PDB file of all heavy atoms in Angstrom:
ATOM      1  N   GLY A 202     -24.326 -46.704 263.150  1.00  0.00           N
ATOM      2  CA  GLY A 202     -24.619 -46.040 261.899  1.00  0.00           C
ATOM      3  C   GLY A 202     -26.048 -45.658 261.666  1.00  0.00           C
ATOM      4  O   GLY A 202     -26.353 -44.701 260.921  1.00  0.00           O
ATOM      5  N   ASN A 203     -26.936 -46.403 262.316  1.00  0.00           N
ATOM      6  CA  ASN A 203     -28.383 -46.114 262.152  1.00  0.00           C
ATOM      7  C   ASN A 203     -28.980 -45.421 263.376  1.00  0.00           C
ATOM      8  O   ASN A 203     -30.189 -45.250 263.429  1.00  0.00           O
ATOM      9  CB  ASN A 203     -29.120 -47.425 261.874  1.00  0.00           C
ATOM     10  CG  ASN A 203     -28.871 -47.961 260.496  1.00  0.00           C
ATOM     11  OD1 ASN A 203     -29.585 -47.646 259.543  1.00  0.00           O
ATOM     12  ND2 ASN A 203     -27.826 -48.759 260.358  1.00  0.00           N
ATOM     13  N   THR A 204     -28.124 -45.019 264.317  1.00  0.00           N
ATOM     14  CA  THR A 204     -28.605 -44.304 265.486  1.00  0.00           C
ATOM     15  C   THR A 204     -27.822 -43.003 265.742  1.00  0.00           C
ATOM     16  O   THR A 204     -28.288 -41.919 265.412  1.00  0.00           O
ATOM     17  CB  THR A 204     -28.505 -45.228 266.757  1.00  0.00           C
ATOM     18  OG1 THR A 204     -27.180 -45.730 266.840  1.00  0.00           O
ATOM     19  CG2 THR A 204     -29.493 -46.379 266.648  1.00  0.00           C
ATOM     20  N   ILE A 205     -26.597 -43.142 266.223  1.00  0.00           N
ATOM     21  CA  ILE A 205     -25.814 -41.977 266.622  1.00  0.00           C
ATOM     22  C   ILE A 205     -25.032 -41.361 265.441  1.00  0.00           C
ATOM     23  O   ILE A 205     -24.905 -40.144 265.343  1.00  0.00           O
ATOM     24  CB  ILE A 205     -24.804 -42.405 267.746  1.00  0.00           C
ATOM     25  CG1 ILE A 205     -25.614 -42.896 268.967  1.00  0.00           C
ATOM     26  CG2 ILE A 205     -23.920 -41.195 268.145  1.00  0.00           C
ATOM     27  CD1 ILE A 205     -24.725 -43.525 270.032  1.00  0.00           C
ATOM     28  N   TYR A 206     -24.487 -42.197 264.587  1.00  0.00           N
ATOM     29  CA  TYR A 206     -23.543 -41.714 263.595  1.00  0.00           C
ATOM     30  C   TYR A 206     -24.046 -40.605 262.696  1.00  0.00           C
ATOM     31  O   TYR A 206     -23.296 -39.664 262.367  1.00  0.00           O
ATOM     32  CB  TYR A 206     -23.033 -42.900 262.718  1.00  0.00           C
ATOM     33  CG  TYR A 206     -22.011 -42.487 261.678  1.00  0.00           C
ATOM     34  CD1 TYR A 206     -20.741 -42.060 262.051  1.00  0.00           C
ATOM     35  CD2 TYR A 206     -22.337 -42.521 260.332  1.00  0.00           C
ATOM     36  CE1 TYR A 206     -19.807 -41.678 261.116  1.00  0.00           C
ATOM     37  CE2 TYR A 206     -21.415 -42.171 259.358  1.00  0.00           C
ATOM     38  CZ  TYR A 206     -20.137 -41.710 259.758  1.00  0.00           C
ATOM     39  OH  TYR A 206     -19.258 -41.340 258.818  1.00  0.00           O
ATOM     40  N   PRO A 207     -25.317 -40.651 262.239  1.00  0.00           N
ATOM     41  CA  PRO A 207     -25.803 -39.543 261.357  1.00  0.00           C
ATOM     42  C   PRO A 207     -25.579 -38.149 261.925  1.00  0.00           C
ATOM     43  O   PRO A 207     -25.414 -37.198 261.192  1.00  0.00           O
ATOM     44  CB  PRO A 207     -27.281 -39.875 261.174  1.00  0.00           C
ATOM     45  CG  PRO A 207     -27.354 -41.360 261.340  1.00  0.00           C
ATOM     46  CD  PRO A 207     -26.364 -41.684 262.394  1.00  0.00           C
ATOM     47  N   ARG A 208     -25.558 -38.039 263.297  1.00  0.00           N
ATOM     48  CA  ARG A 208     -25.366 -36.735 263.928  1.00  0.00           C
ATOM     49  C   ARG A 208     -23.915 -36.267 263.868  1.00  0.00           C
ATOM     50  O   ARG A 208     -23.624 -35.049 263.968  1.00  0.00           O
ATOM     51  CB  ARG A 208     -25.803 -36.783 265.403  1.00  0.00           C
ATOM     52  CG  ARG A 208     -27.266 -37.222 265.594  1.00  0.00           C
ATOM     53  CD  ARG A 208     -27.561 -37.478 267.049  1.00  0.00           C
ATOM     54  NE  ARG A 208     -28.808 -38.202 267.220  1.00  0.00           N
ATOM     55  CZ  ARG A 208     -29.248 -38.718 268.365  1.00  0.00           C
ATOM     56  NH1 ARG A 208     -28.492 -38.599 269.450  1.00  0.00           N
ATOM     57  NH2 ARG A 208     -30.394 -39.376 268.443  1.00  0.00           N
ATOM     58  N   ILE A 209     -22.998 -37.200 263.719  1.00  0.00           N
ATOM     59  CA  ILE A 209     -21.555 -36.832 263.688  1.00  0.00           C
ATOM     60  C   ILE A 209     -20.904 -37.226 262.395  1.00  0.00           C
ATOM     61  O   ILE A 209     -19.685 -37.312 262.266  1.00  0.00           O
ATOM     62  CB  ILE A 209     -20.805 -37.513 264.906  1.00  0.00           C
ATOM     63  CG1 ILE A 209     -21.004 -39.020 264.822  1.00  0.00           C
ATOM     64  CG2 ILE A 209     -21.248 -36.956 266.199  1.00  0.00           C
ATOM     65  CD1 ILE A 209     -20.114 -39.772 265.853  1.00  0.00           C
ATOM     66  N   ALA A 210     -21.732 -37.501 261.372  1.00  0.00           N
ATOM     67  CA  ALA A 210     -21.215 -38.033 260.094  1.00  0.00           C
ATOM     68  C   ALA A 210     -20.351 -37.016 259.404  1.00  0.00           C
ATOM     69  O   ALA A 210     -19.343 -37.354 258.759  1.00  0.00           O
ATOM     70  CB  ALA A 210     -22.393 -38.462 259.192  1.00  0.00           C
ATOM     71  N   LEU A 211     -20.670 -35.728 259.458  1.00  0.00           N
ATOM     72  CA  LEU A 211     -19.942 -34.693 258.745  1.00  0.00           C
ATOM     73  C   LEU A 211     -18.467 -34.638 259.120  1.00  0.00           C
ATOM     74  O   LEU A 211     -17.574 -34.727 258.273  1.00  0.00           O
ATOM     75  CB  LEU A 211     -20.628 -33.338 258.911  1.00  0.00           C
ATOM     76  CG  LEU A 211     -20.149 -32.231 258.004  1.00  0.00           C
ATOM     77  CD1 LEU A 211     -20.315 -32.611 256.511  1.00  0.00           C
ATOM     78  CD2 LEU A 211     -20.844 -30.929 258.299  1.00  0.00           C
ATOM     79  N   PRO A 212     -18.152 -34.490 260.432  1.00  0.00           N
ATOM     80  CA  PRO A 212     -16.720 -34.446 260.762  1.00  0.00           C
ATOM     81  C   PRO A 212     -16.035 -35.821 260.695  1.00  0.00           C
ATOM     82  O   PRO A 212     -14.797 -35.868 260.546  1.00  0.00           O
ATOM     83  CB  PRO A 212     -16.723 -33.964 262.235  1.00  0.00           C
ATOM     84  CG  PRO A 212     -18.064 -34.344 262.751  1.00  0.00           C
ATOM     85  CD  PRO A 212     -18.983 -34.246 261.608  1.00  0.00           C
ATOM     86  N   SER A 213     -16.776 -36.878 260.727  1.00  0.00           N
ATOM     87  CA  SER A 213     -16.217 -38.255 260.764  1.00  0.00           C
ATOM     88  C   SER A 213     -16.085 -38.853 259.364  1.00  0.00           C
ATOM     89  O   SER A 213     -15.372 -39.845 259.192  1.00  0.00           O
ATOM     90  CB  SER A 213     -17.045 -39.181 261.653  1.00  0.00           C
ATOM     91  OG  SER A 213     -17.203 -38.660 262.928  1.00  0.00           O
ATOM     92  N   HIS A 214     -16.725 -38.295 258.387  1.00  0.00           N
ATOM     93  CA  HIS A 214     -16.791 -38.925 257.084  1.00  0.00           C
ATOM     94  C   HIS A 214     -15.443 -39.217 256.456  1.00  0.00           C
ATOM     95  O   HIS A 214     -15.239 -40.336 255.901  1.00  0.00           O
ATOM     96  CB  HIS A 214     -17.640 -38.044 256.132  1.00  0.00           C
ATOM     97  CG  HIS A 214     -17.708 -38.560 254.712  1.00  0.00           C
ATOM     98  ND1 HIS A 214     -18.482 -39.666 254.382  1.00  0.00           N
ATOM     99  CD2 HIS A 214     -17.075 -38.136 253.577  1.00  0.00           C
ATOM    100  CE1 HIS A 214     -18.311 -39.897 253.072  1.00  0.00           C
ATOM    101  NE2 HIS A 214     -17.477 -39.013 252.574  1.00  0.00           N
ATOM    102  N   SER A 215     -14.560 -38.251 256.501  1.00  0.00           N
ATOM    103  CA  SER A 215     -13.225 -38.403 255.892  1.00  0.00           C
ATOM    104  C   SER A 215     -12.481 -39.580 256.431  1.00  0.00           C
ATOM    105  O   SER A 215     -11.923 -40.436 255.710  1.00  0.00           O
ATOM    106  CB  SER A 215     -12.415 -37.158 256.031  1.00  0.00           C
ATOM    107  OG  SER A 215     -11.139 -37.277 255.458  1.00  0.00           O
ATOM    108  N   GLY A 216     -12.412 -39.725 257.765  1.00  0.00           N
ATOM    109  CA  GLY A 216     -11.697 -40.805 258.414  1.00  0.00           C
ATOM    110  C   GLY A 216     -12.348 -42.174 258.208  1.00  0.00           C
ATOM    111  O   GLY A 216     -11.662 -43.180 257.997  1.00  0.00           O
ATOM    112  N   VAL A 217     -13.659 -42.195 258.180  1.00  0.00           N
ATOM    113  CA  VAL A 217     -14.405 -43.445 257.958  1.00  0.00           C
ATOM    114  C   VAL A 217     -14.142 -43.931 256.536  1.00  0.00           C
ATOM    115  O   VAL A 217     -13.912 -45.114 256.317  1.00  0.00           O
ATOM    116  CB  VAL A 217     -15.894 -43.279 258.229  1.00  0.00           C
ATOM    117  CG1 VAL A 217     -16.707 -44.501 257.746  1.00  0.00           C
ATOM    118  CG2 VAL A 217     -16.167 -43.017 259.728  1.00  0.00           C
ATOM    119  N   THR A 218     -14.155 -43.040 255.580  1.00  0.00           N
ATOM    120  CA  THR A 218     -13.853 -43.374 254.180  1.00  0.00           C
ATOM    121  C   THR A 218     -12.420 -43.885 254.057  1.00  0.00           C
ATOM    122  O   THR A 218     -12.206 -44.852 253.300  1.00  0.00           O
ATOM    123  CB  THR A 218     -14.085 -42.155 253.277  1.00  0.00           C
ATOM    124  OG1 THR A 218     -15.412 -41.681 253.409  1.00  0.00           O
ATOM    125  CG2 THR A 218     -13.817 -42.501 251.824  1.00  0.00           C
ATOM    126  N   PHE A 219     -11.486 -43.270 254.729  1.00  0.00           N
ATOM    127  CA  PHE A 219     -10.099 -43.721 254.717  1.00  0.00           C
ATOM    128  C   PHE A 219      -9.967 -45.123 255.264  1.00  0.00           C
ATOM    129  O   PHE A 219      -9.217 -45.952 254.751  1.00  0.00           O
ATOM    130  CB  PHE A 219      -9.236 -42.731 255.538  1.00  0.00           C
ATOM    131  CG  PHE A 219      -7.777 -43.031 255.526  1.00  0.00           C
ATOM    132  CD1 PHE A 219      -6.990 -42.637 254.457  1.00  0.00           C
ATOM    133  CD2 PHE A 219      -7.184 -43.747 256.554  1.00  0.00           C
ATOM    134  CE1 PHE A 219      -5.640 -42.927 254.426  1.00  0.00           C
ATOM    135  CE2 PHE A 219      -5.814 -44.023 256.531  1.00  0.00           C
ATOM    136  CZ  PHE A 219      -5.051 -43.611 255.469  1.00  0.00           C
ATOM    137  N   ALA A 220     -10.733 -45.401 256.322  1.00  0.00           N
ATOM    138  CA  ALA A 220     -10.712 -46.782 256.916  1.00  0.00           C
ATOM    139  C   ALA A 220     -11.251 -47.799 255.943  1.00  0.00           C
ATOM    140  O   ALA A 220     -10.751 -48.952 255.885  1.00  0.00           O
ATOM    141  CB  ALA A 220     -11.518 -46.790 258.209  1.00  0.00           C
ATOM    142  N   LYS A 221     -12.302 -47.467 255.171  1.00  0.00           N
ATOM    143  CA  LYS A 221     -12.877 -48.378 254.193  1.00  0.00           C
ATOM    144  C   LYS A 221     -11.965 -48.614 252.993  1.00  0.00           C
ATOM    145  O   LYS A 221     -12.139 -49.592 252.273  1.00  0.00           O
ATOM    146  CB  LYS A 221     -14.205 -47.861 253.716  1.00  0.00           C
ATOM    147  CG  LYS A 221     -15.333 -47.852 254.750  1.00  0.00           C
ATOM    148  CD  LYS A 221     -16.666 -47.681 254.097  1.00  0.00           C
ATOM    149  CE  LYS A 221     -16.825 -46.376 253.404  1.00  0.00           C
ATOM    150  NZ  LYS A 221     -18.167 -46.198 252.811  1.00  0.00           N
ATOM    151  N   GLY A 222     -11.022 -47.708 252.779  1.00  0.00           N
ATOM    152  CA  GLY A 222     -10.147 -47.796 251.617  1.00  0.00           C
ATOM    153  C   GLY A 222      -8.752 -48.229 251.957  1.00  0.00           C
ATOM    154  O   GLY A 222      -8.429 -49.425 251.939  1.00  0.00           O
ATOM    155  N   GLN A 223      -7.905 -47.301 252.352  1.00  0.00           N
ATOM    156  CA  GLN A 223      -6.498 -47.583 252.577  1.00  0.00           C
ATOM    157  C   GLN A 223      -6.234 -48.540 253.715  1.00  0.00           C
ATOM    158  O   GLN A 223      -5.388 -49.444 253.643  1.00  0.00           O
ATOM    159  CB  GLN A 223      -5.709 -46.274 252.770  1.00  0.00           C
ATOM    160  CG  GLN A 223      -5.488 -45.463 251.526  1.00  0.00           C
ATOM    161  CD  GLN A 223      -6.697 -44.625 251.139  1.00  0.00           C
ATOM    162  OE1 GLN A 223      -7.797 -44.804 251.663  1.00  0.00           O
ATOM    163  NE2 GLN A 223      -6.491 -43.671 250.223  1.00  0.00           N
ATOM    164  N   ILE A 224      -6.949 -48.353 254.827  1.00  0.00           N
ATOM    165  CA  ILE A 224      -6.736 -49.251 255.988  1.00  0.00           C
ATOM    166  C   ILE A 224      -7.191 -50.641 255.643  1.00  0.00           C
ATOM    167  O   ILE A 224      -6.548 -51.643 256.047  1.00  0.00           O
ATOM    168  CB  ILE A 224      -7.477 -48.713 257.214  1.00  0.00           C
ATOM    169  CG1 ILE A 224      -6.722 -47.493 257.770  1.00  0.00           C
ATOM    170  CG2 ILE A 224      -7.635 -49.761 258.287  1.00  0.00           C
ATOM    171  CD1 ILE A 224      -7.336 -46.831 258.994  1.00  0.00           C
ATOM    172  N   LEU A 225      -8.271 -50.774 254.910  1.00  0.00           N
ATOM    173  CA  LEU A 225      -8.726 -52.104 254.480  1.00  0.00           C
ATOM    174  C   LEU A 225      -7.642 -52.800 253.653  1.00  0.00           C
ATOM    175  O   LEU A 225      -7.338 -53.973 253.877  1.00  0.00           O
ATOM    176  CB  LEU A 225     -10.012 -51.958 253.650  1.00  0.00           C
ATOM    177  CG  LEU A 225     -10.465 -53.210 252.879  1.00  0.00           C
ATOM    178  CD1 LEU A 225     -10.700 -54.398 253.799  1.00  0.00           C
ATOM    179  CD2 LEU A 225     -11.711 -52.907 252.077  1.00  0.00           C
ATOM    180  N   ARG A 226      -7.066 -52.109 252.700  1.00  0.00           N
ATOM    181  CA  ARG A 226      -6.053 -52.724 251.846  1.00  0.00           C
ATOM    182  C   ARG A 226      -4.802 -53.125 252.614  1.00  0.00           C
ATOM    183  O   ARG A 226      -4.234 -54.205 252.413  1.00  0.00           O
ATOM    184  CB  ARG A 226      -5.663 -51.736 250.712  1.00  0.00           C
ATOM    185  CG  ARG A 226      -6.770 -51.586 249.613  1.00  0.00           C
ATOM    186  CD  ARG A 226      -6.516 -50.387 248.736  1.00  0.00           C
ATOM    187  NE  ARG A 226      -7.411 -50.312 247.647  1.00  0.00           N
ATOM    188  CZ  ARG A 226      -8.666 -49.890 247.722  1.00  0.00           C
ATOM    189  NH1 ARG A 226      -9.175 -49.484 248.892  1.00  0.00           N
ATOM    190  NH2 ARG A 226      -9.472 -49.829 246.653  1.00  0.00           N
ATOM    191  N   LEU A 227      -4.376 -52.294 253.575  1.00  0.00           N
ATOM    192  CA  LEU A 227      -3.252 -52.636 254.384  1.00  0.00           C
ATOM    193  C   LEU A 227      -3.554 -53.866 255.257  1.00  0.00           C
ATOM    194  O   LEU A 227      -2.713 -54.749 255.434  1.00  0.00           O
ATOM    195  CB  LEU A 227      -2.878 -51.433 255.286  1.00  0.00           C
ATOM    196  CG  LEU A 227      -1.715 -51.660 256.246  1.00  0.00           C
ATOM    197  CD1 LEU A 227      -0.432 -52.051 255.509  1.00  0.00           C
ATOM    198  CD2 LEU A 227      -1.479 -50.405 257.098  1.00  0.00           C
ATOM    199  N   GLY A 228      -4.801 -53.947 255.741  1.00  0.00           N
ATOM    200  CA  GLY A 228      -5.197 -55.105 256.529  1.00  0.00           C
ATOM    201  C   GLY A 228      -5.151 -56.424 255.731  1.00  0.00           C
ATOM    202  O   GLY A 228      -4.745 -57.451 256.251  1.00  0.00           O
ATOM    203  N   ILE A 229      -5.563 -56.316 254.473  1.00  0.00           N
ATOM    204  CA  ILE A 229      -5.509 -57.539 253.612  1.00  0.00           C
ATOM    205  C   ILE A 229      -4.101 -57.927 253.340  1.00  0.00           C
ATOM    206  O   ILE A 229      -3.748 -59.142 253.352  1.00  0.00           O
ATOM    207  CB  ILE A 229      -6.258 -57.269 252.251  1.00  0.00           C
ATOM    208  CG1 ILE A 229      -7.742 -57.028 252.493  1.00  0.00           C
ATOM    209  CG2 ILE A 229      -6.085 -58.468 251.328  1.00  0.00           C
ATOM    210  CD1 ILE A 229      -8.515 -58.150 253.136  1.00  0.00           C
ATOM    211  N   ILE A 230      -3.213 -56.968 253.157  1.00  0.00           N
ATOM    212  CA  ILE A 230      -1.765 -57.270 252.941  1.00  0.00           C
ATOM    213  C   ILE A 230      -1.188 -57.992 254.188  1.00  0.00           C
ATOM    214  O   ILE A 230      -0.538 -59.044 254.082  1.00  0.00           O
ATOM    215  CB  ILE A 230      -0.970 -56.002 252.639  1.00  0.00           C
ATOM    216  CG1 ILE A 230      -1.372 -55.470 251.241  1.00  0.00           C
ATOM    217  CG2 ILE A 230       0.525 -56.265 252.688  1.00  0.00           C
ATOM    218  CD1 ILE A 230      -0.824 -54.079 250.938  1.00  0.00           C
ATOM    219  N   LEU A 231      -1.423 -57.435 255.352  1.00  0.00           N
ATOM    220  CA  LEU A 231      -0.872 -58.035 256.579  1.00  0.00           C
ATOM    221  C   LEU A 231      -1.509 -59.350 256.937  1.00  0.00           C
ATOM    222  O   LEU A 231      -1.011 -60.142 257.756  1.00  0.00           O
ATOM    223  CB  LEU A 231      -1.029 -57.041 257.751  1.00  0.00           C
ATOM    224  CG  LEU A 231      -0.184 -55.777 257.677  1.00  0.00           C
ATOM    225  CD1 LEU A 231      -0.463 -54.894 258.914  1.00  0.00           C
ATOM    226  CD2 LEU A 231       1.283 -56.075 257.576  1.00  0.00           C
ATOM    227  N   PHE A 232      -2.693 -59.620 256.322  1.00  0.00           N
ATOM    228  CA  PHE A 232      -3.379 -60.905 256.546  1.00  0.00           C
ATOM    229  C   PHE A 232      -2.476 -62.072 256.124  1.00  0.00           C
ATOM    230  O   PHE A 232      -2.630 -63.191 256.606  1.00  0.00           O
ATOM    231  CB  PHE A 232      -4.682 -60.922 255.742  1.00  0.00           C
ATOM    232  CG  PHE A 232      -5.674 -61.977 256.193  1.00  0.00           C
ATOM    233  CD1 PHE A 232      -6.273 -61.853 257.410  1.00  0.00           C
ATOM    234  CD2 PHE A 232      -6.037 -63.020 255.368  1.00  0.00           C
ATOM    235  CE1 PHE A 232      -7.217 -62.825 257.853  1.00  0.00           C
ATOM    236  CE2 PHE A 232      -6.932 -63.968 255.783  1.00  0.00           C
ATOM    237  CZ  PHE A 232      -7.543 -63.850 257.005  1.00  0.00           C
ATOM    238  N   GLY A 233      -1.506 -61.776 255.234  1.00  0.00           N
ATOM    239  CA  GLY A 233      -0.591 -62.836 254.784  1.00  0.00           C
ATOM    240  C   GLY A 233       0.278 -63.400 255.905  1.00  0.00           C
ATOM    241  O   GLY A 233       0.805 -64.504 255.780  1.00  0.00           O
ATOM    242  N   PHE A 234       0.468 -62.649 256.982  1.00  0.00           N
ATOM    243  CA  PHE A 234       1.282 -63.142 258.104  1.00  0.00           C
ATOM    244  C   PHE A 234       0.560 -64.280 258.886  1.00  0.00           C
ATOM    245  O   PHE A 234       1.193 -64.870 259.763  1.00  0.00           O
ATOM    246  CB  PHE A 234       1.650 -61.996 259.061  1.00  0.00           C
ATOM    247  CG  PHE A 234       2.828 -61.214 258.575  1.00  0.00           C
ATOM    248  CD1 PHE A 234       2.644 -59.987 257.916  1.00  0.00           C
ATOM    249  CD2 PHE A 234       4.133 -61.711 258.682  1.00  0.00           C
ATOM    250  CE1 PHE A 234       3.731 -59.269 257.466  1.00  0.00           C
ATOM    251  CE2 PHE A 234       5.208 -60.971 258.225  1.00  0.00           C
ATOM    252  CZ  PHE A 234       5.030 -59.752 257.611  1.00  0.00           C
ATOM    253  N   LYS A 235      -0.639 -64.555 258.570  1.00  0.00           N
ATOM    254  CA  LYS A 235      -1.344 -65.683 259.228  1.00  0.00           C
ATOM    255  C   LYS A 235      -1.065 -66.975 258.472  1.00  0.00           C
ATOM    256  O   LYS A 235      -1.530 -68.046 258.875  1.00  0.00           O
ATOM    257  CB  LYS A 235      -2.875 -65.442 259.220  1.00  0.00           C
ATOM    258  CG  LYS A 235      -3.269 -64.229 260.081  1.00  0.00           C
ATOM    259  CD  LYS A 235      -4.778 -64.123 260.169  1.00  0.00           C
ATOM    260  CE  LYS A 235      -5.158 -62.963 261.112  1.00  0.00           C
ATOM    261  NZ  LYS A 235      -6.591 -62.816 261.259  1.00  0.00           N
ATOM    262  N   LEU A 236      -0.299 -66.901 257.393  1.00  0.00           N
ATOM    263  CA  LEU A 236      -0.101 -68.072 256.520  1.00  0.00           C
ATOM    264  C   LEU A 236       1.379 -68.342 256.289  1.00  0.00           C
ATOM    265  O   LEU A 236       2.200 -67.404 256.328  1.00  0.00           O
ATOM    266  CB  LEU A 236      -0.751 -67.846 255.143  1.00  0.00           C
ATOM    267  CG  LEU A 236      -2.222 -67.418 255.116  1.00  0.00           C
ATOM    268  CD1 LEU A 236      -2.573 -67.001 253.703  1.00  0.00           C
ATOM    269  CD2 LEU A 236      -3.110 -68.550 255.549  1.00  0.00           C
ATOM    270  N   THR A 237       1.701 -69.568 256.010  1.00  0.00           N
ATOM    271  CA  THR A 237       3.060 -69.931 255.473  1.00  0.00           C
ATOM    272  C   THR A 237       2.843 -70.982 254.390  1.00  0.00           C
ATOM    273  O   THR A 237       1.849 -71.708 254.407  1.00  0.00           O
ATOM    274  CB  THR A 237       3.962 -70.511 256.592  1.00  0.00           C
ATOM    275  OG1 THR A 237       3.419 -71.777 257.004  1.00  0.00           O
ATOM    276  CG2 THR A 237       4.097 -69.592 257.731  1.00  0.00           C
ATOM    277  N   PHE A 238       3.794 -71.025 253.471  1.00  0.00           N
ATOM    278  CA  PHE A 238       3.680 -72.041 252.429  1.00  0.00           C
ATOM    279  C   PHE A 238       3.914 -73.465 252.952  1.00  0.00           C
ATOM    280  O   PHE A 238       3.546 -74.421 252.333  1.00  0.00           O
ATOM    281  CB  PHE A 238       4.685 -71.724 251.291  1.00  0.00           C
ATOM    282  CG  PHE A 238       4.350 -70.474 250.529  1.00  0.00           C
ATOM    283  CD1 PHE A 238       5.373 -69.682 250.018  1.00  0.00           C
ATOM    284  CD2 PHE A 238       3.060 -70.087 250.329  1.00  0.00           C
ATOM    285  CE1 PHE A 238       5.083 -68.511 249.278  1.00  0.00           C
ATOM    286  CE2 PHE A 238       2.743 -68.917 249.620  1.00  0.00           C
ATOM    287  CZ  PHE A 238       3.737 -68.129 249.108  1.00  0.00           C
ATOM    288  N   GLN A 239       4.526 -73.521 254.144  1.00  0.00           N
ATOM    289  CA  GLN A 239       4.706 -74.837 254.804  1.00  0.00           C
ATOM    290  C   GLN A 239       3.373 -75.450 255.219  1.00  0.00           C
ATOM    291  O   GLN A 239       3.260 -76.686 255.314  1.00  0.00           O
ATOM    292  CB  GLN A 239       5.623 -74.724 256.009  1.00  0.00           C
ATOM    293  CG  GLN A 239       7.092 -74.458 255.719  1.00  0.00           C
ATOM    294  CD  GLN A 239       7.407 -73.001 255.505  1.00  0.00           C
ATOM    295  OE1 GLN A 239       6.460 -72.165 255.391  1.00  0.00           O
ATOM    296  NE2 GLN A 239       8.685 -72.645 255.462  1.00  0.00           N
ATOM    297  N   ASP A 240       2.347 -74.576 255.408  1.00  0.00           N
ATOM    298  CA  ASP A 240       1.012 -75.114 255.747  1.00  0.00           C
ATOM    299  C   ASP A 240       0.483 -76.011 254.648  1.00  0.00           C
ATOM    300  O   ASP A 240      -0.252 -76.941 254.918  1.00  0.00           O
ATOM    301  CB  ASP A 240       0.040 -73.927 255.955  1.00  0.00           C
ATOM    302  CG  ASP A 240       0.404 -73.118 257.214  1.00  0.00           C
ATOM    303  OD1 ASP A 240       1.043 -73.662 258.119  1.00  0.00           O
ATOM    304  OD2 ASP A 240       0.018 -71.942 257.242  1.00  0.00           O
TER     305      ASP A 240
END
């Protein structure tokens, strides 16, 4: 982000923003599969 990314930020911005938002939330939801109430 502090070297190469500024040169390709314009075409990549939309996907990177999507990863910080929707993909993050889906990842937190699936994080539940690491747990059971039996623990």
Side-chain angles (χ1 to χ4, degrees):
N203 287 270
T204 53
I205 300 171
Y206 181 68
R208 302 171 194 170
I209 57 171
L211 190 60
S213 303
H214 176 73
S215 178
V217 170
T218 302
F219 184 81
K221 291 195 298 181
Q223 285 83 346
I224 286 181
L225 167 59
R226 287 166 174 78
L227 179 58
I229 296 299
I230 291 170
L231 292 180
F232 198 66
F234 278 101
K235 295 186 178 182
L236 308 168
T237 66
F238 293 147
Q239 287 86 347
D240 292 336

